[in-house]
Amino acid sequence: GIEKASVVDATPIGVNVRSTVATYSGILDELRRAYAKLDSSKAAGLSARDFSYNTGSLRCPRCEGTGEITLDVQFLPDVDIACPDCEGRRYGPDAEVHHRPGADGEIALPELMAMTVAEAAEHVADLRKVTTRLQALQEVGLGYLTLGEATPALSGGEAQRLRLVSELDRTQTGTLFVFDEPTIGLHPLDVRVLVGVLQRLVDQG
């Protein structure tokens, strides 16, 4: 009776710092489209692509959107530090010009990316898809992660729960989930959250 098997293990998500919580969850794509619709963006001739920190024109020119630079230390391994120009925000100063209405004033995309999932949720109530995904991240206990946090740096348990987010709104009839020690290192309150998520998957078939 099994139609699909989903392995949810603790292997790192993404291979470099360009993979973030916002990109993996699909949130950044929605935010880029929303910022591209602003009057200031249209006046500047900007599209959703320009708001990408990977290839867009608004990314930080020094770190090229990675948020960090590498120092060549003689006789020692290279050292990665936060980019001194953008302070790890990945965007150049031109991105700060474009603001959307937030919970307590207008907010630019770099500011939003620096917020935690829980904080950002208060500023995007008008974006249904973004709100739904942020809510799912909070439901699996990841409300404390920032949107711009690099996914390779997440712990094994965090990586597992981030993978689960995309499964929460699907019918799971005939699906077998295989977990790799999902409660290792979790606080008892986080275990309770995880058990609730697992029960939700069971309730979906």
Side-chain angles (χ1 to χ4, degrees):
I2 297 173
E3 299 172 6
K4 185 180 78 169
S6 293
V7 179
V8 186
D9 60 14
T11 54
I13 294 174
V15 294
N16 58 47
V17 294
R18 292 191 181 279
S19 173
T20 62
V21 172
T23 57
Y24 184 83
S25 61
I27 289 171
L28 185 58
D29 290 338
E30 297 295 329
L31 291 176
R32 289 193 296 114
R33 283 191 279 268
Y35 275 89
K37 292 178 181 177
L38 297 173
D39 291 340
S40 61
S41 301
K42 293 177 181 177
L46 300 175
S47 67
R49 181 176 180 178
D50 291 295
F51 285 92
S52 166
Y53 60 74
N54 287 322
T55 58
S57 64
L58 298 177
R59 69 178 180 173
C60 173
R62 181 165 184 177
C63 66
E64 296 185 331
T66 62
E68 58 185 40
I69 61 171
T70 302
L71 297 180
D72 182 10
V73 184
Q74 287 187 331
F75 311 115
L76 291 171
D78 292 346
V79 177
D80 293 327
I81 64 168
C83 174
D85 285 6
C86 68
E87 299 179 341
R89 289 190 171 191
R90 303 172 184 264
Y91 288 95
D94 289 346
E96 304 282 354
V97 176
H98 310 285
H99 298 84
R100 290 185 75 256
D104 51 3
E106 296 195 327
I107 188 167
L109 183 55
E111 294 176 275
L112 202 56
M113 290 289 287
M115 291 183 175
T116 65
V117 168
E119 292 168 343
E122 301 176 12
H123 298 275
V124 293
D126 59 319
L127 302 175
R128 186 177 57 82
K129 286 185 178 180
V130 176
T131 300
T132 299
R133 288 171 189 174
L134 290 175
Q135 184 178 349
L137 285 167
Q138 292 186 79
E139 288 174 358
V140 298
L142 297 179
Y144 59 89
L145 295 180
T146 63
L147 295 185
E149 195 149 349
T151 55
L154 300 180
S155 71
E158 289 169 336
Q160 287 194 73
R161 285 181 283 162
L162 184 55
R163 286 188 174 94
L164 270 181
V165 168
S166 62
E167 303 286 352
L168 289 180
D169 294 320
R170 300 177 184 171
T171 300
Q172 302 296 351
T173 305
T175 302
L176 170 69
F177 281 93
V178 183
F179 293 89
D180 179 13
E181 299 184 328
T183 61
I184 287 293
L186 286 187
H187 186 279
L189 290 176
D190 291 324
V191 173
R192 186 184 301 174
V193 169
L194 181 60
V195 170
V197 171
L198 300 183
Q199 184 60 54
R200 182 168 163 184
L201 292 174
V202 171
D203 293 341
Q204 288 166 213

